[in-house]
Amino acid sequence: MEANGRIARTAGSEPAPPAEATVRDQETVVPQAIDPRVVPAGLIGSIVEYYDFGIYGYLATILSVVFFAGGTDPTGALLATFATFAAAFVLRPLGGLIFGHLGDRFGRSRILAATILSMCAATVAIGVLPTYSAIGVGAAFLLVAARCVQGVASGGEVGGAAAYVAEKSPPSRRGFLCSTVQLGALAGALLASIAVTILTSVLTHAELVSWGWRIPFLLSLPLGLVGLWIRFRLEDSVADDELASGGGLASAPAAELVRAHLPGLLRTLGLSTLLFAGYYVVYVYASTHLQRTGGFTASAAFWSTTTTLIVSCLAMPLFGHLADKWGRKPLLFGAAIAFGVLAVPGFALMNHHVYALALLAQVVLGLPESALMGVVFATFAEMFPSRVRYTGIALGFNLASMAVGGTAPLICLWLLDITGNALAPAWFLVATAVISAGTALTLTETRGTALRAG
């Protein structure tokens, strides 16, 4: 059975030679030329998703006033805002199951168009919601509803994009090309940080609370339209004849995943634990921490986050390339160890009230996170056969997002509140680093191998 972009892996196989056609065996086709639409297809959905989630996190202190009467109880309102942020992540595994099932049953491209449309619609809806001052607690209810739609949609986004890009990539460059999916995640967060930085620089606090907070949410509309245009033009990574016949497709991908590929699912969950904790602590929560604990202005905190994201974006393709050259396992283990070692001194510098040191600390902590993000999706794709790949990546990834992703800012605030220790968020990172480092040690190196088929 031939499948354009569907790839089989044999034990001990060597990287395929860099030909400009395809290397065929009796069952599969291994792509050697790169479709120029593949990288934009993976990038755009992650950009939209992480832009949408990023602006919510960066505007948390403003949104706490707008939707939760933050003027009467600022800490309680901020906790409620981050709890709403976390609510979307509770539904991400459900989105992973729904869209993963559809993507493994009916192909990747159509489902990826649906996820980006849903995310964009929910984000634009937040931008036009009435506020607490207009309708009271109903505003918070509507915000939670929109966030839930975002959560379900995002649960199906990244896993599908990773599966698609991996299936369209030559084995010798899969790490580099799959890193572009996560590069989109950082690019989306960077766009969100830039948008909020500009707003906080040109608008007063009163203007932000009154109407300025709506602007970045509404800007998701043109991003989403571009994403739809790109994805409607995609050729699926599942062959047309396979989709038509159903041959090689799992009838119940989730059940087959748990029954036959549980170790891969658990490794995906374990590696994603630090990835999500690191992302939402370093790139989202740190902005709030620098303001509340470090004593810096909102503008200074956002510029620090923006600089960190720029450096991490530039570094990520390098980490993807190194994963193709040196292997997945050493980079994942090394990044986890680096996080565990650097977290406490990094937060100590962020608490030191010296801006240059705080900025340096955030940038340094962003580098191991960039390494994790740049390597994991190629690793995940190589763990699962094509018939459950979308579901496997989406479910393991989103279970971690539910546990320590969206909850990370809330956990950090809670730890600070109960311990009174400004280093508490760092110890949270250390705990998740131990989990992911241990998981990395269980990996079998898959660099340069062809993906498993059917």
Side-chain angles (χ1 to χ4, degrees):
M1 174 181 60
E2 291 191 355
N4 182 22
R6 305 301 292 271
I7 313 166
R9 178 168 64 94
T10 56
S13 61
E14 297 297 322
E20 286 301 323
T22 59
V23 177
R24 296 178 182 266
D25 60 26
Q26 62 182 3
E27 293 187 354
T28 59
V29 177
V30 178
Q32 294 300 316
I34 301 172
D35 186 335
R37 294 171 294 183
V38 168
V39 170
L43 273 170
I44 189 62
S46 297
I47 289 174
V48 172
E49 176 186 353
Y50 282 83
Y51 173 83
D52 293 351
F53 277 67
I55 53 178
Y56 187 99
Y58 299 143
L59 289 172
T61 53
I62 301 296
L63 297 178
S64 67
V65 176
V66 171
F67 288 100
F68 297 99
T72 57
D73 180 11
T75 299
L78 187 58
L79 284 169
T81 305
F82 278 130
T84 304
F85 182 77
F89 288 79
V90 174
L91 292 174
R92 283 183 65 146
L94 176 62
L97 283 172
I98 293 171
F99 289 109
H101 176 88
L102 295 174
D104 282 329
R105 289 287 296 136
F106 305 112
R108 321 302 194 204
S109 59
R110 288 172 289 180
I111 306 307
L112 288 173
T115 60
I116 201 170
L117 176 62
S118 302
M119 283 190 302
C120 177
T123 304
V124 173
I126 292 176
V128 298
L129 287 181
T131 64
Y132 181 89
S133 62
I135 64 171
V137 295
F141 175 81
L142 293 174
L143 178 64
V144 170
R147 288 288 297 164
C148 287
V149 174
Q150 281 185 324
V152 172
S154 64
E157 166 56 39
V158 178
Y164 181 85
V165 173
E167 289 163 354
K168 286 287 192 178
S169 300
S172 61
R173 301 194 66 191
R174 189 181 301 123
F176 172 76
L177 291 172
C178 284
S179 73
T180 63
V181 177
Q182 290 286 54
L183 178 61
L186 286 190
L190 176 59
L191 285 177
S193 181
I194 290 172
V196 174
T197 300
I198 292 173
L199 282 176
T200 57
S201 299
V202 302
L203 298 180
T204 66
H205 180 76
E207 289 170 332
L208 279 172
V209 172
S210 176
W211 54 269
W213 65 271
R214 298 183 184 274
I215 295 174
F217 288 99
L218 297 177
L219 289 176
S220 181
L221 180 60
L223 282 175
L225 292 177
V226 171
L228 278 175
W229 178 75
I230 291 173
R231 287 190 167 174
F232 274 128
R233 299 173 63 245
L234 292 180
E235 177 188 61
D236 211 301
S237 57
V238 183
D240 291 337
D241 58 353
E242 189 170 356
L243 290 173
S245 66
L249 302 178
S251 59
E256 182 174 324
L257 175 70
V258 173
R259 182 179 68 251
H261 305 286
L262 185 58
L265 178 62
L266 293 176
R267 289 188 179 101
T268 303
L269 173 60
L271 292 172
S272 299
T273 298
L274 175 59
L275 185 148
F276 271 105
Y279 183 96
Y280 284 101
V281 171
V282 176
Y283 300 139
V284 178
Y285 166 75
S287 177
T288 299
H289 188 88
L290 288 171
Q291 295 173 63
R292 290 171 58 89
T293 305
F296 302 106
T297 65
S299 179
F302 290 137
W303 278 116
S304 178
T305 299
T306 299
T307 303
T308 301
L309 286 166
I310 291 172
V311 173
S312 295
C313 281
L314 293 174
M316 189 175 293
L318 172 63
F319 289 125
H321 170 71
L322 292 176
D324 285 329
K325 184 177 181 180
W326 295 344
R328 315 331 187 188
K329 186 173 180 176
L331 264 74
L332 291 170
F333 180 72
I337 293 299
F339 244 135
V341 170
L342 295 171
V344 173
F347 267 82
L349 290 178
M350 282 195 278
N351 298 334
H352 204 262
H353 307 294
V354 177
Y355 185 68
L357 294 178
L359 171 62
L360 175 64
Q362 190 176 5
V363 169
V364 169
L365 286 177
L367 290 175
E369 176 62 20
S370 178
L372 285 171
M373 295 177 71
V375 180
V376 291
F377 277 156
T379 309
F380 294 163
E382 290 158 357
M383 289 181 186
F384 302 105
S386 58
R387 56 194 286 122
V388 297
R389 184 170 294 126
Y390 194 146
T391 302
I393 298 173
L395 184 57
F397 192 69
N398 288 305
L399 284 172
S401 79
M402 179 181 68
V404 295
T407 58
L410 187 62
I411 290 171
C412 290
L413 283 173
W414 177 73
L415 288 172
L416 282 170
D417 187 53
I418 65 170
T419 65
N421 186 343
L423 295 178
W427 292 111
F428 169 61
L429 284 179
V430 171
T432 57
V434 170
I435 294 171
S436 292
T439 304
L441 289 176
T442 71
L443 293 175
T444 299
E445 184 57 59
T446 52
R447 173 181 63 91
T449 59
L451 294 177
R452 297 163 61 187

